[in-house]
Amino acid sequence: QYQQQTEGFDASLAYLRTVFSQAGPFDGILGFSQGAAMAALLCGQLGKLKGDVDFRFVILCSGFAINMEGFQQGSINLPSLHIFGNDKGRDRQINSQASRQLASLFEDGCSEIIEHDLGHIIPTQSPHIERIKNFLQRFL
């Protein structure tokens, strides 16, 4: 069902342009669940949005691809961290395969994956938090 909810992208994009112009610049963005789907779409549009919306990395948690049919495996060249529950984690909202599929759209050389068995959350315990910190350290 979540992959059918596609209305409102243009209004959301207009809002994000306003946020970036009024509150930016931002080093990176983080999206969780539906927010990760939106953030991924934004990453895919960065070339068209240059100057309006700029950021250096993205963190996508329990994400999934929506309206991204035109993207090939590895076609988004932006440092990315993908955090999601593995098959054991039983994320009841987002299937781990959907998050893996989204991660595959980002270039291998600049994307990193953290799988955990904690379900539909962003993990805050070791060893996951150290890996998140290590990813962020690259942008200091």
Side-chain angles (χ1 to χ4, degrees):
Q1 174 188 354
Y2 58 84
Q3 292 178 323
Q4 306 305 315
Q5 299 169 345
T6 60
E7 295 178 21
F9 176 73
D10 292 332
S12 296
L13 185 56
Y15 174 75
L16 288 172
R17 279 186 161 134
T18 300
V19 169
F20 272 80
S21 71
Q22 293 177 357
F26 299 103
D27 289 323
I29 61 172
L30 179 142
F32 179 78
S33 198
Q34 287 179 318
M38 179 63 187
L41 275 171
L42 199 58
C43 293
Q45 300 290 322
L46 275 181
K48 297 176 188 173
L49 299 171
K50 216 48 161 168
D52 289 337
V53 175
D54 291 311
F55 50 92
R56 297 168 39 206
F57 66 88
V58 65
I59 299 175
L60 303 174
C61 306
S62 297
F64 56 94
I66 192 166
N67 287 351
M68 298 188 80
E69 295 80 21
F71 293 90
Q72 304 290 330
Q73 184 172 346
S75 64
I76 301 173
N77 183 8
L78 180 74
S80 60
L81 177 61
H82 305 266
I83 305 169
F84 55 89
N86 59 24
D87 293 333
K88 284 190 220 173
R90 293 184 212 95
D91 183 335
R92 293 183 197 156
Q93 283 75 30
I94 308 299
N95 181 294
S96 62
Q97 186 55 38
S99 292
R100 277 189 211 96
Q101 171 61 30
L102 175 60
S104 78
L105 299 178
F106 288 78
E107 189 176 301
D108 276 343
C110 60
S111 74
E112 188 174 333
I113 293 175
I114 297 174
E115 291 189 50
H116 58 81
D117 59 1
L118 302 169
H120 195 66
I121 68 160
I122 300 172
T124 59
Q125 303 297 320
S126 291
H128 311 298
I129 197 69
E130 282 78 19
R131 291 190 60 201
I132 295 169
K133 286 179 190 177
N134 288 340
F135 177 81
L136 291 170
Q137 293 272 332
R138 297 173 18 197
F139 304 98
L140 293 178

PDB file of all heavy atoms in Angstrom, residues 117-140:
ATOM      1  N   ASP A 117      18.471  -6.032  13.172  1.00  0.00           N
ATOM      2  CA  ASP A 117      17.337  -6.922  13.448  1.00  0.00           C
ATOM      3  C   ASP A 117      16.367  -6.301  14.452  1.00  0.00           C
ATOM      4  O   ASP A 117      15.752  -6.996  15.245  1.00  0.00           O
ATOM      5  CB  ASP A 117      17.817  -8.296  13.911  1.00  0.00           C
ATOM      6  CG  ASP A 117      18.661  -8.240  15.168  1.00  0.00           C
ATOM      7  OD1 ASP A 117      18.873  -7.134  15.708  1.00  0.00           O
ATOM      8  OD2 ASP A 117      19.111  -9.309  15.608  1.00  0.00           O
ATOM      9  N   LEU A 118      16.202  -4.973  14.387  1.00  0.00           N
ATOM     10  CA  LEU A 118      15.399  -4.253  15.375  1.00  0.00           C
ATOM     11  C   LEU A 118      14.066  -3.753  14.834  1.00  0.00           C
ATOM     12  O   LEU A 118      13.363  -3.018  15.521  1.00  0.00           O
ATOM     13  CB  LEU A 118      16.218  -3.077  15.928  1.00  0.00           C
ATOM     14  CG  LEU A 118      17.545  -3.481  16.573  1.00  0.00           C
ATOM     15  CD1 LEU A 118      18.398  -2.253  16.836  1.00  0.00           C
ATOM     16  CD2 LEU A 118      17.305  -4.265  17.841  1.00  0.00           C
ATOM     17  N   GLY A 119      13.729  -4.087  13.592  1.00  0.00           N
ATOM     18  CA  GLY A 119      12.439  -3.666  13.053  1.00  0.00           C
ATOM     19  C   GLY A 119      12.474  -2.291  12.419  1.00  0.00           C
ATOM     20  O   GLY A 119      13.475  -1.860  11.859  1.00  0.00           O
ATOM     21  N   HIS A 120      11.364  -1.570  12.550  1.00  0.00           N
ATOM     22  CA  HIS A 120      11.147  -0.291  11.856  1.00  0.00           C
ATOM     23  C   HIS A 120      11.613   0.869  12.730  1.00  0.00           C
ATOM     24  O   HIS A 120      10.810   1.681  13.193  1.00  0.00           O
ATOM     25  CB  HIS A 120       9.653  -0.166  11.524  1.00  0.00           C
ATOM     26  CG  HIS A 120       9.328   0.887  10.520  1.00  0.00           C
ATOM     27  ND1 HIS A 120       9.734   0.821   9.212  1.00  0.00           N
ATOM     28  CD2 HIS A 120       8.620   2.036  10.633  1.00  0.00           C
ATOM     29  CE1 HIS A 120       9.286   1.881   8.567  1.00  0.00           C
ATOM     30  NE2 HIS A 120       8.602   2.639   9.403  1.00  0.00           N
ATOM     31  N   ILE A 121      12.925   0.921  12.960  1.00  0.00           N
ATOM     32  CA  ILE A 121      13.501   1.987  13.790  1.00  0.00           C
ATOM     33  C   ILE A 121      14.859   2.387  13.226  1.00  0.00           C
ATOM     34  O   ILE A 121      15.411   1.719  12.362  1.00  0.00           O
ATOM     35  CB  ILE A 121      13.693   1.551  15.271  1.00  0.00           C
ATOM     36  CG1 ILE A 121      14.785   0.479  15.377  1.00  0.00           C
ATOM     37  CG2 ILE A 121      12.411   1.073  15.901  1.00  0.00           C
ATOM     38  CD1 ILE A 121      15.351   0.347  16.767  1.00  0.00           C
ATOM     39  N   ILE A 122      15.402   3.483  13.769  1.00  0.00           N
ATOM     40  CA  ILE A 122      16.794   3.852  13.536  1.00  0.00           C
ATOM     41  C   ILE A 122      17.550   3.382  14.770  1.00  0.00           C
ATOM     42  O   ILE A 122      17.283   3.860  15.878  1.00  0.00           O
ATOM     43  CB  ILE A 122      16.942   5.377  13.363  1.00  0.00           C
ATOM     44  CG1 ILE A 122      16.110   5.862  12.175  1.00  0.00           C
ATOM     45  CG2 ILE A 122      18.422   5.736  13.173  1.00  0.00           C
ATOM     46  CD1 ILE A 122      16.042   7.367  12.052  1.00  0.00           C
ATOM     47  N   PRO A 123      18.476   2.440  14.614  1.00  0.00           N
ATOM     48  CA  PRO A 123      19.164   1.902  15.790  1.00  0.00           C
ATOM     49  C   PRO A 123      20.089   2.941  16.438  1.00  0.00           C
ATOM     50  O   PRO A 123      20.745   3.720  15.743  1.00  0.00           O
ATOM     51  CB  PRO A 123      19.963   0.732  15.226  1.00  0.00           C
ATOM     52  CG  PRO A 123      20.149   1.051  13.790  1.00  0.00           C
ATOM     53  CD  PRO A 123      18.949   1.843  13.367  1.00  0.00           C
ATOM     54  N   THR A 124      20.123   2.918  17.752  1.00  0.00           N
ATOM     55  CA  THR A 124      20.955   3.870  18.503  1.00  0.00           C
ATOM     56  C   THR A 124      21.989   3.178  19.384  1.00  0.00           C
ATOM     57  O   THR A 124      22.670   3.836  20.159  1.00  0.00           O
ATOM     58  CB  THR A 124      20.075   4.780  19.386  1.00  0.00           C
ATOM     59  OG1 THR A 124      19.335   3.957  20.292  1.00  0.00           O
ATOM     60  CG2 THR A 124      19.130   5.612  18.549  1.00  0.00           C
ATOM     61  N   GLN A 125      22.095   1.874  19.258  1.00  0.00           N
ATOM     62  CA  GLN A 125      23.041   1.100  20.072  1.00  0.00           C
ATOM     63  C   GLN A 125      24.213   0.623  19.216  1.00  0.00           C
ATOM     64  O   GLN A 125      24.163   0.655  17.999  1.00  0.00           O
ATOM     65  CB  GLN A 125      22.331  -0.117  20.695  1.00  0.00           C
ATOM     66  CG  GLN A 125      21.118   0.221  21.539  1.00  0.00           C
ATOM     67  CD  GLN A 125      21.474   1.053  22.749  1.00  0.00           C
ATOM     68  OE1 GLN A 125      22.488   0.825  23.383  1.00  0.00           O
ATOM     69  NE2 GLN A 125      20.655   2.052  23.043  1.00  0.00           N
ATOM     70  N   SER A 126      25.275   0.173  19.912  1.00  0.00           N
ATOM     71  CA  SER A 126      26.423  -0.428  19.239  1.00  0.00           C
ATOM     72  C   SER A 126      25.988  -1.720  18.570  1.00  0.00           C
ATOM     73  O   SER A 126      25.094  -2.385  19.076  1.00  0.00           O
ATOM     74  CB  SER A 126      27.520  -0.745  20.260  1.00  0.00           C
ATOM     75  OG  SER A 126      28.068   0.431  20.760  1.00  0.00           O
ATOM     76  N   PRO A 127      26.594  -2.075  17.495  1.00  0.00           N
ATOM     77  CA  PRO A 127      27.651  -1.396  16.748  1.00  0.00           C
ATOM     78  C   PRO A 127      27.096  -0.412  15.704  1.00  0.00           C
ATOM     79  O   PRO A 127      27.860   0.269  15.034  1.00  0.00           O
ATOM     80  CB  PRO A 127      28.368  -2.548  16.041  1.00  0.00           C
ATOM     81  CG  PRO A 127      27.256  -3.500  15.727  1.00  0.00           C
ATOM     82  CD  PRO A 127      26.299  -3.397  16.913  1.00  0.00           C
ATOM     83  N   HIS A 128      25.782  -0.339  15.585  1.00  0.00           N
ATOM     84  CA  HIS A 128      25.165   0.454  14.521  1.00  0.00           C
ATOM     85  C   HIS A 128      25.468   1.949  14.654  1.00  0.00           C
ATOM     86  O   HIS A 128      25.769   2.613  13.664  1.00  0.00           O
ATOM     87  CB  HIS A 128      23.658   0.216  14.484  1.00  0.00           C
ATOM     88  CG  HIS A 128      23.303  -1.231  14.494  1.00  0.00           C
ATOM     89  ND1 HIS A 128      23.685  -2.094  13.487  1.00  0.00           N
ATOM     90  CD2 HIS A 128      22.631  -1.981  15.394  1.00  0.00           C
ATOM     91  CE1 HIS A 128      23.256  -3.311  13.762  1.00  0.00           C
ATOM     92  NE2 HIS A 128      22.607  -3.264  14.914  1.00  0.00           N
ATOM     93  N   ILE A 129      25.406   2.453  15.867  1.00  0.00           N
ATOM     94  CA  ILE A 129      25.611   3.892  16.056  1.00  0.00           C
ATOM     95  C   ILE A 129      27.033   4.301  15.682  1.00  0.00           C
ATOM     96  O   ILE A 129      27.246   5.389  15.135  1.00  0.00           O
ATOM     97  CB  ILE A 129      25.215   4.327  17.497  1.00  0.00           C
ATOM     98  CG1 ILE A 129      25.019   5.840  17.563  1.00  0.00           C
ATOM     99  CG2 ILE A 129      26.228   3.856  18.514  1.00  0.00           C
ATOM    100  CD1 ILE A 129      23.818   6.336  16.808  1.00  0.00           C
ATOM    101  N   GLU A 130      27.998   3.435  15.904  1.00  0.00           N
ATOM    102  CA  GLU A 130      29.373   3.737  15.518  1.00  0.00           C
ATOM    103  C   GLU A 130      29.501   3.828  14.002  1.00  0.00           C
ATOM    104  O   GLU A 130      30.217   4.690  13.480  1.00  0.00           O
ATOM    105  CB  GLU A 130      30.354   2.694  16.074  1.00  0.00           C
ATOM    106  CG  GLU A 130      30.681   2.861  17.537  1.00  0.00           C
ATOM    107  CD  GLU A 130      29.579   2.353  18.465  1.00  0.00           C
ATOM    108  OE1 GLU A 130      28.726   1.544  18.020  1.00  0.00           O
ATOM    109  OE2 GLU A 130      29.559   2.785  19.626  1.00  0.00           O
ATOM    110  N   ARG A 131      28.817   2.962  13.306  1.00  0.00           N
ATOM    111  CA  ARG A 131      28.858   2.999  11.838  1.00  0.00           C
ATOM    112  C   ARG A 131      28.195   4.270  11.309  1.00  0.00           C
ATOM    113  O   ARG A 131      28.658   4.862  10.328  1.00  0.00           O
ATOM    114  CB  ARG A 131      28.203   1.754  11.254  1.00  0.00           C
ATOM    115  CG  ARG A 131      29.038   0.501  11.536  1.00  0.00           C
ATOM    116  CD  ARG A 131      28.570  -0.699  10.789  1.00  0.00           C
ATOM    117  NE  ARG A 131      28.618  -0.496   9.346  1.00  0.00           N
ATOM    118  CZ  ARG A 131      27.902  -1.222   8.491  1.00  0.00           C
ATOM    119  NH1 ARG A 131      27.096  -2.171   8.921  1.00  0.00           N
ATOM    120  NH2 ARG A 131      27.980  -0.987   7.193  1.00  0.00           N
ATOM    121  N   ILE A 132      27.124   4.703  11.963  1.00  0.00           N
ATOM    122  CA  ILE A 132      26.470   5.956  11.571  1.00  0.00           C
ATOM    123  C   ILE A 132      27.424   7.123  11.808  1.00  0.00           C
ATOM    124  O   ILE A 132      27.598   7.987  10.946  1.00  0.00           O
ATOM    125  CB  ILE A 132      25.144   6.142  12.334  1.00  0.00           C
ATOM    126  CG1 ILE A 132      24.145   5.050  11.937  1.00  0.00           C
ATOM    127  CG2 ILE A 132      24.562   7.530  12.088  1.00  0.00           C
ATOM    128  CD1 ILE A 132      22.914   4.968  12.816  1.00  0.00           C
ATOM    129  N   LYS A 133      28.063   7.137  12.977  1.00  0.00           N
ATOM    130  CA  LYS A 133      29.027   8.201  13.288  1.00  0.00           C
ATOM    131  C   LYS A 133      30.164   8.210  12.282  1.00  0.00           C
ATOM    132  O   LYS A 133      30.593   9.276  11.825  1.00  0.00           O
ATOM    133  CB  LYS A 133      29.595   8.009  14.695  1.00  0.00           C
ATOM    134  CG  LYS A 133      28.651   8.347  15.808  1.00  0.00           C
ATOM    135  CD  LYS A 133      29.345   8.088  17.150  1.00  0.00           C
ATOM    136  CE  LYS A 133      28.418   8.155  18.310  1.00  0.00           C
ATOM    137  NZ  LYS A 133      29.102   7.824  19.582  1.00  0.00           N
ATOM    138  N   ASN A 134      30.681   7.035  11.932  1.00  0.00           N
ATOM    139  CA  ASN A 134      31.778   6.949  10.966  1.00  0.00           C
ATOM    140  C   ASN A 134      31.384   7.516   9.608  1.00  0.00           C
ATOM    141  O   ASN A 134      32.166   8.188   8.954  1.00  0.00           O
ATOM    142  CB  ASN A 134      32.273   5.510  10.815  1.00  0.00           C
ATOM    143  CG  ASN A 134      33.038   5.032  12.024  1.00  0.00           C
ATOM    144  OD1 ASN A 134      33.533   5.842  12.827  1.00  0.00           O
ATOM    145  ND2 ASN A 134      33.125   3.727  12.203  1.00  0.00           N
ATOM    146  N   PHE A 135      30.158   7.234   9.201  1.00  0.00           N
ATOM    147  CA  PHE A 135      29.671   7.795   7.933  1.00  0.00           C
ATOM    148  C   PHE A 135      29.647   9.319   8.008  1.00  0.00           C
ATOM    149  O   PHE A 135      30.138  10.010   7.116  1.00  0.00           O
ATOM    150  CB  PHE A 135      28.278   7.246   7.612  1.00  0.00           C
ATOM    151  CG  PHE A 135      27.677   7.839   6.365  1.00  0.00           C
ATOM    152  CD1 PHE A 135      28.039   7.345   5.112  1.00  0.00           C
ATOM    153  CD2 PHE A 135      26.766   8.880   6.437  1.00  0.00           C
ATOM    154  CE1 PHE A 135      27.498   7.902   3.956  1.00  0.00           C
ATOM    155  CE2 PHE A 135      26.220   9.440   5.293  1.00  0.00           C
ATOM    156  CZ  PHE A 135      26.591   8.949   4.047  1.00  0.00           C
ATOM    157  N   LEU A 136      29.111   9.849   9.091  1.00  0.00           N
ATOM    158  CA  LEU A 136      28.984  11.311   9.244  1.00  0.00           C
ATOM    159  C   LEU A 136      30.339  11.993   9.366  1.00  0.00           C
ATOM    160  O   LEU A 136      30.508  13.139   8.909  1.00  0.00           O
ATOM    161  CB  LEU A 136      28.102  11.644  10.442  1.00  0.00           C
ATOM    162  CG  LEU A 136      26.627  11.296  10.262  1.00  0.00           C
ATOM    163  CD1 LEU A 136      25.884  11.445  11.578  1.00  0.00           C
ATOM    164  CD2 LEU A 136      25.997  12.154   9.175  1.00  0.00           C
ATOM    165  N   GLN A 137      31.324  11.312   9.962  1.00  0.00           N
ATOM    166  CA  GLN A 137      32.669  11.888  10.120  1.00  0.00           C
ATOM    167  C   GLN A 137      33.271  12.309   8.777  1.00  0.00           C
ATOM    168  O   GLN A 137      34.069  13.242   8.727  1.00  0.00           O
ATOM    169  CB  GLN A 137      33.604  10.879  10.796  1.00  0.00           C
ATOM    170  CG  GLN A 137      33.248  10.564  12.231  1.00  0.00           C
ATOM    171  CD  GLN A 137      33.885  11.527  13.205  1.00  0.00           C
ATOM    172  OE1 GLN A 137      34.933  12.077  12.923  1.00  0.00           O
ATOM    173  NE2 GLN A 137      33.240  11.719  14.321  1.00  0.00           N
ATOM    174  N   ARG A 138      32.894  11.643   7.718  1.00  0.00           N
ATOM    175  CA  ARG A 138      33.443  11.953   6.403  1.00  0.00           C
ATOM    176  C   ARG A 138      33.084  13.357   5.937  1.00  0.00           C
ATOM    177  O   ARG A 138      33.717  13.881   5.025  1.00  0.00           O
ATOM    178  CB  ARG A 138      32.926  10.944   5.363  1.00  0.00           C
ATOM    179  CG  ARG A 138      33.371   9.540   5.642  1.00  0.00           C
ATOM    180  CD  ARG A 138      32.780   8.470   4.772  1.00  0.00           C
ATOM    181  NE  ARG A 138      32.174   8.849   3.524  1.00  0.00           N
ATOM    182  CZ  ARG A 138      31.360   8.060   2.845  1.00  0.00           C
ATOM    183  NH1 ARG A 138      31.056   6.858   3.290  1.00  0.00           N
ATOM    184  NH2 ARG A 138      30.844   8.456   1.690  1.00  0.00           N
ATOM    185  N   PHE A 139      32.085  13.962   6.554  1.00  0.00           N
ATOM    186  CA  PHE A 139      31.581  15.254   6.072  1.00  0.00           C
ATOM    187  C   PHE A 139      31.894  16.413   7.012  1.00  0.00           C
ATOM    188  O   PHE A 139      31.357  17.501   6.846  1.00  0.00           O
ATOM    189  CB  PHE A 139      30.082  15.138   5.814  1.00  0.00           C
ATOM    190  CG  PHE A 139      29.772  14.035   4.859  1.00  0.00           C
ATOM    191  CD1 PHE A 139      29.364  12.796   5.334  1.00  0.00           C
ATOM    192  CD2 PHE A 139      29.964  14.189   3.506  1.00  0.00           C
ATOM    193  CE1 PHE A 139      29.110  11.745   4.454  1.00  0.00           C
ATOM    194  CE2 PHE A 139      29.726  13.152   2.618  1.00  0.00           C
ATOM    195  CZ  PHE A 139      29.294  11.925   3.097  1.00  0.00           C
ATOM    196  N   LEU A 140      32.772  16.172   7.989  1.00  0.00           N
ATOM    197  CA  LEU A 140      33.154  17.256   8.895  1.00  0.00           C
ATOM    198  C   LEU A 140      34.103  18.219   8.231  1.00  0.00           C
ATOM    199  O   LEU A 140      34.844  17.933   7.359  1.00  0.00           O
ATOM    200  CB  LEU A 140      33.794  16.685  10.152  1.00  0.00           C
ATOM    201  CG  LEU A 140      32.862  15.883  11.051  1.00  0.00           C
ATOM    202  CD1 LEU A 140      33.632  15.329  12.238  1.00  0.00           C
ATOM    203  CD2 LEU A 140      31.713  16.742  11.523  1.00  0.00           C
TER     204      LEU A 140
END
